C-alpha cells in the first residue's frame, strides 16, 4: 500500500527488435531468351533478424536510466546461388500482446533492414507504460527512399532517354494556411526547445519543453530534469540552433511538472498559446512536437483517443509515482518527446506529453521503447496551475482528502487503508475525510461524477482540483452506498 500521493512504480528499460522488410522482387527473365538457357535464379525472401528487444498505470520515466544508443544498419542484399534453398519467410507482424493497465517493462518493434543472425528469439515480456524521455539519443540513421521519374522515348527509334517532370509549383511556393499541420508547426517550432539534462556524474537524457512566458520560463516534465536538478547541467536548444543554459525554478514530482528559467534569455520570446483542456473532445486533431530519440524538432499528428485516463508513472530512479488524469493520443510520442507540447488543430497547447504505453519488458542496457499509438499527456489546465505555483513559490501544493488509499486495482474503487505510512492513522484526524465521516475500509467509488476504479484513479482526479475546492465522494461501507461532501485540504512540497 502507499499514501494517497505515492504508489508502486513499474520500471521499464526497453529495447527494440528489427522488423523484416519486404522481400526483394526478382527480376523477370528477358523476353526472347534462348531456349534451353537456365532460368534466372530466384531471389529468396529476406530472412528475419533477431535483435535485442526493448507510468500512466505503471509508467517508468527514464530520468537517471543508463544511456544507450540505438542505430539501424542496412545490409545489401546478396542473392544465394541457385542451388541454395530460400530462406524461411518472416512471420510478421506477431500477434499483439495483452496490455494490462498497470504493468512493468516495455519493448516495441523498431523499423530497419533485417540482419542475418543465429541468435534465438527472445521471449516476449509483459507490457507496461514508460516515460517519453530519451536517455539515449539517436546519433545517426537513414531511411531509404526512391526518386520517381518519367521516362520518355523522344525518338521512337529504340534508343530512349529519360527526362524529369517538374510540378507547376515548387514546395516553397505552396501556401500553407494557419490551420494546416504545416502552418501550426511553422508557428510553434520556434517556441519549442530540446532539453539536455546531465547529472553531476555525466549521465542524463534528452527531453523537450516550450516557452511559457516572455520572461524565459520553460515548461516541461519533472522527470526530464530530475537527474540534473540539484548538481547537474541543463541546456535548452531552440529550433534555430541557439543554445542557452537553464536552471530549475521549481518542480513537482507528484504532478510530473517542472519550470525552468533560461539564463540570459533572449528578447522577443514568443510563448505558445495555452488552450482549454477541459473543452477537448475525443476525436479532436492533435499535433505533438518534440525530440524523439534525440531527433529535435520532430512533428507528429493524431487525434485525442480518450480523456480522463488514469495514469501513474515513475521516473525510474525513485520509488515515488506521479499521477494524472491524462489525455490519451495516438500521435506518435517516443522517448525524448517528454515535456513537449501537445497542440490542437489551432496551435494551442492542450497538454504536456509525458508517457507512452510499451509492449514488453526489457533489461538494463537495452534500448528504449517506442510508440505504439498510446501516448499520454498532462492536461494543460492542470499544468498551468502547477506552473504558476512553482513560479510564485518554487514548490508545489497538492490538494488532499486526508486519507491513505491502497494502490490495488481489483478493489472496486479506491479502498481506504487500515493504516497510513509508518503506522499513522489511515484517516488523518481532523482532516477533510475525517470531518466527512469516512473510515478505514471504506471504498470510494465516485469522485464528483467520475467513476473511481482504483487508488491511482482517485489521486489523479483529486489533483485536477485545487485546495479549498468542494467535492462529493460516493463510497461503500458494509454493502451500503453513501455520499459525503468535503473541502479539499492541502499539502505543500513533495514528501
Amino acid at each position: 500500500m502507499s499514501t494517497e500521493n505515492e504508489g508502486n512504480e513499474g520500471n521499464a528499460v526497453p529495447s527494440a527488435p528489427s522488423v523484416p522488410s519486404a522481400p526483394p522482387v526478382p527480376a523477370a527473365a528477358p523476353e526472347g531468351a534462348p531456349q534451353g538457357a537456365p532460368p534466372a535464379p530466384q531471389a529468396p525472401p529476406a530472412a528475419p533478424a533477431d535483435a535485442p528487444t526493448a507510468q500512466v498505470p505503471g509508467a517508468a520515466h527514464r530520468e537517471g536510466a543508463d544511456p544507450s544508443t540505438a542505430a539501424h544498419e542496412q545490409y545489401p542484399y546478396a542473392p544465394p546461388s541457385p542451388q541454395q534453398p530460400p530462406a524461411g519467410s518472416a512471420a510478421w507482424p506477431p500477434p499483439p500482446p495483452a496490455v494490462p493497465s498497470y504493468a512493468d517493462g516495455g519493448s516495441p518493434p523498431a523499423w530497419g533492414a533485417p540482419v542475418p543472425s543465429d541468435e534465438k528469439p527472445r521471449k516476449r515480456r509483459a507490457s507496461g507504460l514508460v516515460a517519453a524521455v530519451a536517455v539515449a539519443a539517436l546519433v545517426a540513421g537513414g531511411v531509404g527512399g526512391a526518386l520517381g521519374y518519367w521516362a520518355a522515348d523522344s525518338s521512337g527509334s529504340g534508343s530512349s532517354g529519360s527526362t524529369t517532370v517538374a510540378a507547376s509549383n515548387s514546395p516553397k511556393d505552396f501556401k500553407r494556411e494557419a490551420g494546416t499541420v504545416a502552418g501550426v508547426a511553422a508557428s510553434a517550432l520556434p517556441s519549442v526547445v530540446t532539453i539536455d539534462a546531465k547529472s553531476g556524474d555525466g549521465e542524463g537524457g534528452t527531453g523537450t519543453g516550450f516557452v511559457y512566458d516572455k520572461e524565459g520560463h520553460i515548461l516541461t516534465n519533472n522527470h526530464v530534469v530530475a537527474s540534473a536538478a540539484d548538481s547537474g547541467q541543463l541546456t535548452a536548444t531552440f529550433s534555430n540552433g541557439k543554445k542557452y543554459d537553464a536552471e530549475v525554478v521549481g518542480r513537482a514530482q507528484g504532478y510530473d511538472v517542472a519550470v525552468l528559467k533560461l539564463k540570459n534569455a533572449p528578447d522577443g520570446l514568443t510563448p505558445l498559446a495555452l488552450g482549454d483542456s477541459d473543452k477537448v473532445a475525443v476525436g479532436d486533431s492533435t499535433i505533438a512536437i518534440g525530440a524523439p530519440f534525440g531527433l529535435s524538432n520532430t512533428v507528429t499528428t493524431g487525434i485525442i483517443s480518450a480523456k480522463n485516463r488514469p495514469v501513474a508513472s515513475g521516473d525510474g530512479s525513485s520509488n515515488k509515482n506521479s499521477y494524472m488524469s491524462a489525455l490519451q493520443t495516438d500521435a506518435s510520442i517516443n522517448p525524448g518527446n517528454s515535456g513537449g507540447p501537445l497542440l490542437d488543430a489551432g496551435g494551442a497547447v492542450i497538454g504536456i506529453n509525458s508517457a507512452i504505453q510499451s509492449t514488453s519488458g526489457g533489461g538494463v542496457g537495452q534500448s528504449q521503447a517506442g510508440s505504439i499509438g498510446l501516448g499520454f499527456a498532462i492536461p494543460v489546465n492542470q499544468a498551468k496551475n502547477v506552473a504558476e505555483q512553482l513560479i510564485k513559490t518554487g514548490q508545489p501544493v497538492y490538494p488532499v482528502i486526508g486519507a491513505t488509499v491502497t494502490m490495488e486495482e481489483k478493489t472496486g474503487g479506491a479502498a481506504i487503508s487500515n493504516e497510513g505510512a509508518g503506522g499513522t492513522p489511515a484517516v488523518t484526524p481532523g482532516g477533510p475525510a475525517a470531518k466527512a465521516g469516512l473510515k478505514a475500509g471504506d471504498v470510494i467509488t465516485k469522485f464528483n461524477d467520475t467513476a473511481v476504479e482504483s487508488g491511482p484513479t482517485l489521486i489523479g482526479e483529486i489533483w485536477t482540483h485545487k485546495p479549498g475546492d468542494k467535492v462529493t465522494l460516493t463510497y461503500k461501507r458494509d454493502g451500503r452506498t453513501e455520499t459525503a461532501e468535503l473541502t479539499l485540504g492541502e499539502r505543500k512540497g513533495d514528501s
Side-chain angles (χ1 to χ4, degrees):
M1 65 181 67
S2 67
T3 66
E4 69 173 339
N5 296 329
E6 297 178 4
N8 297 324
E9 70 167 316
N11 294 332
V13 183
S15 70
S18 300
V19 174
S21 62
V25 178
E31 295 184 5
Q35 292 185 351
Q42 298 295 313
D50 295 332
T53 59
Q55 154 163 68
V56 145
H61 292 307
R62 287 295 182 262
E63 248 43 63
D66 291 338
S68 64
T69 301
H72 298 292
E73 295 182 359
Q74 300 220 353
Y75 289 76
Y77 174 76
S81 64
Q83 290 76 21
Q84 289 180 307
S89 60
W92 187 265
V99 180
S101 298
Y102 293 80
D104 296 340
S107 74
W111 296 100
V115 180
S117 173
D118 293 327
E119 294 180 2
K120 295 181 179 180
R122 296 180 182 271
K123 293 183 179 179
R124 189 175 294 275
R125 303 191 182 186
S127 65
L129 288 142
V130 300
V133 59
V135 296
L138 181 65
V139 295
V143 177
L147 175 64
Y149 66 93
W150 185 278
D153 185 352
S154 58
S155 65
S157 60
S159 61
S160 61
S162 65
T163 61
T164 57
V165 176
S168 58
N169 292 311
S170 62
K172 67 181 181 180
D173 297 326
F174 294 162
K175 183 177 181 181
R176 294 170 175 84
E177 301 295 340
T180 64
V181 174
V184 170
S187 177
L189 277 169
S191 299
V192 178
V193 297
T194 299
I195 298 173
D196 289 311
K198 291 185 179 180
S199 61
D201 58 9
E203 296 183 355
T206 300
T208 308
F210 60 92
V211 177
Y212 182 73
D213 57 27
K214 294 183 178 181
E215 283 69 46
H217 289 110
I218 302 295
L219 192 56
T220 186
N221 284 142
N222 172 67
H223 74 262
V224 170
V225 303
S227 63
D230 297 325
S231 60
Q233 180 181 7
L234 289 165
T235 60
T237 305
F238 284 82
S239 59
N240 60 6
K242 293 185 178 180
K243 182 182 295 187
Y244 299 87
D245 290 333
E247 60 186 354
V248 175
V249 172
R251 57 194 186 98
Q253 182 272 329
Y255 292 119
D256 196 17
V257 172
V259 176
L260 308 182
K261 180 74 177 292
L262 298 178
K263 298 179 180 179
N264 302 315
D267 295 330
L269 289 175
T270 303
L272 289 182
L274 303 183
D276 187 347
S277 52
D278 290 340
K279 295 181 180 179
V280 170
V282 173
D284 281 351
S285 296
T286 58
I287 301 170
I289 302 180
F293 295 104
L295 300 175
S296 301
N297 310 315
T298 295
V299 179
T300 55
T301 63
I303 62 169
I304 292 292
S305 304
K307 296 178 61 177
N308 304 318
R309 190 68 81 190
V311 168
S313 57
D315 63 9
S317 60
S318 70
N319 60 356
K320 296 181 179 179
N321 281 344
S322 302
Y323 300 92
M324 67 184 96
S325 182
L327 297 175
Q328 180 181 327
T329 181
D330 67 347
S332 182
I333 296 173
N334 287 286
N337 276 105
S338 275
L342 184 68
L343 309 173
D344 62 18
V349 180
I350 54 175
I352 300 178
N353 301 317
S354 298
I356 59 174
Q357 177 75 46
S358 66
T359 56
S360 60
V364 174
Q366 294 182 338
S367 61
Q368 292 175 279
S371 172
I372 59 171
L374 295 172
F376 302 91
I378 302 168
V380 73
N381 289 10
Q382 177 182 2
K384 178 182 178 181
N385 292 337
V386 177
E388 292 296 333
Q389 185 67 40
L390 293 176
I391 292 173
K392 182 179 179 180
T393 68
Q395 65 176 345
V397 175
Y398 298 93
V400 296
I401 63 171
T404 300
V405 297
T406 66
M407 295 294 106
E408 298 176 10
E409 294 182 60
K410 298 180 180 180
T411 55
I416 298 179
S417 305
N418 292 325
E419 64 179 23
T424 59
V427 178
T428 305
K435 291 180 180 179
L438 273 72
K439 300 179 180 179
D442 290 345
V443 179
I444 300 170
T445 58
K446 270 190 177 182
F447 182 88
N448 287 335
D449 295 326
T450 302
V452 172
E453 300 174 349
S454 63
T457 306
L458 176 63
I459 297 171
E461 287 298 321
I462 291 173
W463 286 358
T464 62
H465 290 70
K466 297 179 180 179
D469 286 352
K470 294 183 179 180
V471 300
T472 300
L473 298 181
T474 302
Y475 63 95
K476 291 183 178 180
R477 178 189 297 171
D478 299 329
R480 302 188 310 273
T481 298
E482 307 285 348
T483 60
E485 293 186 354
L486 57 82
T487 300
L488 296 175
E490 71 174 29
R491 188 198 79 198
K492 293 183 177 180
D494 286 308
S495 59

